Amino acid sequence: MDFRRIPRTLLVGAAAVLASLFASDAAAQGGNRLAAGDVATSAAPDAVTYYDAVQGVLQRNCVTCHTENPVSVGGMIAPFALTTFQDARRRSSAIAGVVSTGYMPPWGAAIQHQGTFKDERYLPPEDKQILIDWAETGAQMGDPSPATTAESPADLATQEPTVAPDGRVWLMGLPDMVVGFDEPLLVCEQVQDWQPQVPQRVISGELTEPRWIRGTEINAGPKVHHTVSSLLGVGTPGRGPFVFPEGWGILMVPDQYMSISMHYHKEVGPGTEIIDDTRGGIQFYEDGDRLDHVVETRLQPFTDFVIPAGHPNYEVQNTTHFDEDIYLLSMGPHAHYRGKAVRIELQRPDRQFRETLLSIPNYDFNWQFQYELNEPLFIPAGSSMITTWWYDNSAANPYNPDPTAEVVYGPATTDEMMNSRIYFARTEPLGLVAGGPIPVELVERAHAADERARRFAREWEDGSQSCAKAADIASR
């Protein structure tokens, strides 16, 4: 079978699609738990084998998520491990399928950005070919002797988790503040896919005065596919804490408004309901630490558009102007099921051309990322950021809720969005000290940003569908 000819539409979509694909592949290959001795170690001289090539490819590209006994930071983990020959062989044809289409590893940024963003997930062409060739030649084991064995997954660990008194595990260490839902959230048995916007409150570590955030982490509950929060950042499988460069931080004020967009995906039917109690952790700078740059966030929403019914490639553009020098830290485009592609460009005042900051040619709502630059990017005053989205509202889009409907901006996933959240900071070093006086201007700016977040998030929350309503729409 030529896995390179599998249509992409058969392999993209929600996590359950991938899980079912891998499960069926395991069944097709026998479904049994293979022991090392069940497969001959000898192979054709030129055949790709697990121990001479495939194990290394998987460890370099896959086992950050697909590992045994993953760090228990909630439900945002891959559904199975790929750390042994037995694991990989049972799913070899499915592995070849998802890597040949580009569905795995999940990463939207075009190849031109390789080396630009932190934690990038590009699969080198030679590694992809190894996985395809291995599947097509029978997924042979090869020689398991130590000389041909790659380093163990345990050797690849880079972060030592910390267990809190309540049993929760945090990769960044114990948080100074923990935030969560007002009460645990019921994800009903009728729903397969649900994306509510949920307000949060402080569980522990309430502030009495403004403090500087140096890092955040999302501790997700079961069946959480991804999360998006202006304060906590983006949570996806395999993603660690969101930590700012030393001396950069967000100013958090007491009673700051917080909410989080959740994306649940699970099986449907009796007994499948779950209770989720996702938490967020926040670490602050210690008193005496130096703060030079105040990190701010801007959603950059554009709401004035109508996508015609049936249109396969509708284009919408939004421009943001910068009237002072800034450093750009990250970008996070966001649309819903009709989002098809997005490009973020920069027009500098002294150049005749636009430079592409981020191109996502095949946007997938099911994989949301905040693309963090390896180094802050200087953007001079007078520059403009141009965000262009393309939407597919046709029947050819397999995830289109209704191709016969005109679509406008709105919070429900059956509506659309055109957002591009950025994190940035002004360039002038402030020379502030954590625990010391904070300029009134900065406090006022933080309160103003908080008020904008309150207004916008409340609209999202009001528009969020209930679990039962989401299930009803999906069943139509």
Side-chain angles (χ1 to χ4, degrees), residues 15-101:
V17 175
L18 180 64
S20 63
L21 173 64
F22 276 58
S24 63
D25 185 68
Q29 297 194 37
N32 59 317
R33 295 187 174 273
L34 300 173
D38 292 338
V39 179
T41 61
S42 61
D46 58 346
V48 174
T49 70
Y50 176 80
Y51 282 108
D52 75 356
V54 172
Q55 183 185 39
V57 171
L58 295 176
Q59 290 185 354
R60 288 192 299 273
N61 300 283
C62 308
V63 301
T64 299
C65 299
H66 291 275
T67 185
E68 294 179 9
N69 303 314
V71 176
S72 181
V73 291
M76 290 164 44
I77 56 175
F80 46 80
L82 290 175
T83 54
T84 68
F85 167 67
Q86 290 86 354
D87 293 334
R89 183 180 187 276
R90 287 200 301 273
R91 298 178 171 92
S92 60
S93 63
I95 292 170
V98 293
V99 300
S100 63
T101 61

Side-chain angles (χ1 to χ4, degrees), residues 19 38 88 106 111 118 161 166 193 228 303 315 353 378 401:
D38 292 338
I111 191 64
K118 296 178 181 178
D166 64 359
D193 199 82
V228 180
T303 62
E315 181 178 320
F353 61 91
F378 174 72

Side-chain angles (χ1 to χ4, degrees), residues 76-150:
M76 290 164 44
I77 56 175
F80 46 80
L82 290 175
T83 54
T84 68
F85 167 67
Q86 290 86 354
D87 293 334
R89 183 180 187 276
R90 287 200 301 273
R91 298 178 171 92
S92 60
S93 63
I95 292 170
V98 293
V99 300
S100 63
T101 61
Y103 185 65
M104 285 283 144
W107 188 247
I111 191 64
Q112 71 197 63
H113 301 298
Q114 188 165 13
T116 302
F117 300 109
K118 296 178 181 178
D119 302 320
E120 64 184 18
R121 295 176 176 177
Y122 296 104
L123 182 65
E126 57 272 21
D127 284 358
K128 178 187 297 186
Q129 195 59 50
I130 285 171
L131 296 175
I132 293 172
D133 290 347
W134 186 58
E136 291 181 340
T137 57
Q140 299 178 65
M141 181 170 70
D143 180 7
S145 64
T148 61
T149 302

Side-chain angles (χ1 to χ4, degrees), residues 417-442:
M417 284 192 171
M418 183 188 172
N419 301 338
S420 180
R421 180 177 297 283
I422 60 173
Y423 286 83
F424 66 97
R426 291 162 171 83
T427 58
E428 187 67 26
L430 299 176
L432 300 177
V433 176
I438 301 174
V440 174
E441 176 190 356
L442 296 184

Side-chain angles (χ1 to χ4, degrees), residues 180-192:
F181 305 146
D182 288 333
E183 57 184 27
L185 192 64
L186 172 66
V187 184
C188 58
E189 62 184 21
Q190 307 102 301
V191 74
Q192 181 183 50

